[in-house]
Amino acid sequence: MTSQALRIVVWGENVHEHTNPQVAAIYPRGMHTVIADGLRALLPAAQVSTATLQEAEHGLSESRLAETDVLTWWGHKAHGNVSDAVVDRVQRRVHEGMGLIVLHSGHYSKIFKRLMGTTCSLTWREAGERERLWVCNPGHPIAQGLGTYFELPHEEMYGEPFAVPPPDEQVFISWFEGGEVFRSGNGYTRGNGKIFYFRPGHETYPTYFDANVRRVIANAAEWARPPVARWMDSCPNAKNSPEKIAAKV
Ligand code: ZN
């Protein structure tokens, strides 16, 4: 079976890059462009584009989302500025089958909290600590191409308790130099859509240039591809039972 080219939109809040010189030095063209570059390098057949908060409708119009298979989401400072109409729209598309990859501080985005139905809070510390991401399930599609673990030399710490529903699929657990652990690669299904939360990606570190991080995001995009067969989005009245229909034939 030949599969269609995956259409990926990388959404970036695009605020820190313009307000924090440290972030601008690492990501002069924005974090979203670097995430998109990583996807293009690893998924050459995919159609990868970007969208930002500052664009009309945050770059996520009805028609654009209708032609999006997988959306990645990085936000932090401006979660509150994301329009509720766009959040409703993204949620509806996830229920229809669009994949959603939520990155790092996106844990507190309106769309992730909406889809999880919980506060999505966690503990954190910004101390440039080493993070070791352990692979929980080597057979999982998102873990392909990785070793038993990989490390990032400097990251922000996120720790438990992470107030999300128990993941349907646990792909990574992180350990930090300070001793904390965190469920850092979590798969969910909502309606027809797959959701993957992936923890690394604090804006003051070059995390989205890391080869393993790029591999995970690319694997997750493939994993989150919309299903071919879908649940119906209605409650039709089944007036005739299958037996009755069969008896008439
Ligand atoms: Zn952060």
Side-chain angles (χ1 to χ4, degrees):
M1 193 182 110
T2 52
S3 47
Q4 287 222 312
L6 196 61
R7 299 165 300 179
I8 306 171
V9 173
V10 175
W11 191 86
E13 179 184 274
N14 194 34
V15 171
H16 291 283
E17 296 94 321
H18 299 282
T19 56
N20 182 341
Q22 199 187 347
V23 179
I26 302 168
Y27 297 106
R29 294 179 302 121
M31 300 173 79
H32 51 286
T33 62
V34 172
I35 295 167
D37 286 348
L39 284 163
R40 289 189 189 105
L42 290 169
L43 304 174
Q47 294 170 18
V48 183
S49 59
T50 62
T52 59
L53 176 70
Q54 295 77 22
E55 293 169 41
E57 301 182 72
H58 313 322
L60 302 174
S61 64
E62 285 280 6
S63 57
R64 179 112 186 253
L65 280 177
E67 295 176 350
T68 301
D69 296 317
V70 176
L71 176 66
T72 76
W73 194 279
W74 194 100
H76 178 231
K77 216 181 168 82
H79 290 320
N81 297 345
V82 174
S83 114
D84 291 332
V86 170
V87 175
D88 291 347
R89 197 179 286 169
V90 172
Q91 180 185 26
R92 194 163 59 244
R93 281 290 293 131
V94 169
H95 287 164
E96 286 170 2
M98 183 182 76
L100 179 68
I101 299 169
V102 176
L103 299 168
H104 187 62
S105 39
H107 74 92
Y108 244 11
S109 62
K110 285 184 181 178
I111 184 59
F112 190 59
K113 290 196 285 188
R114 171 83 65 84
L115 286 161
M116 295 297 104
T118 57
T119 64
C120 302
S121 65
L122 45 77
T123 64
W124 60 279
R125 176 175 59 243
E126 231 186 294
E129 291 164 73
R130 182 154 49 104
E131 175 176 11
R132 180 177 297 161
L133 291 102
W134 288 96
V135 174
C136 303
N137 179 358
H140 197 283
I142 296 177
Q144 296 316 296
L146 305 171
T148 51
Y149 67 83
F150 67 94
E151 290 188 342
L152 297 165
H154 303 289
E155 254 296 348
E156 179 182 16
M157 186 283 291
Y158 277 7
E160 298 282 345
F162 186 18
V164 288
D168 301 326
E169 303 178 42
Q170 190 72 62
V171 186
F172 303 109
I173 290 179
S174 285
W175 165 89
F176 294 88
E177 220 171 333
E180 287 88 351
V181 295
F182 187 75
R183 290 168 289 169
S184 55
N186 307 345
Y188 299 91
T189 301
R190 291 290 182 271
N192 295 292
K194 286 180 172 171
I195 301 164
F196 187 64
Y197 174 78
F198 186 46
R199 195 218 77 84
H202 187 65
E203 65 274 6
T204 58
Y205 307 112
T207 298
Y208 293 118
F209 292 95
D210 181 86
N212 290 311
V213 168
R214 288 183 159 198
R215 168 57 63 194
V216 170
I217 296 171
N219 287 350
E222 282 285 8
W223 168 82
R225 181 186 282 274
V228 176
R230 298 178 181 192
W231 291 0
M232 54 195 172
D233 184 22
S234 64
C235 293
N237 181 353
K239 284 179 182 154
N240 292 313
S241 69
E243 288 83 356
K244 242 180 172 175
I245 294 166
K248 278 184 190 165
V249 175

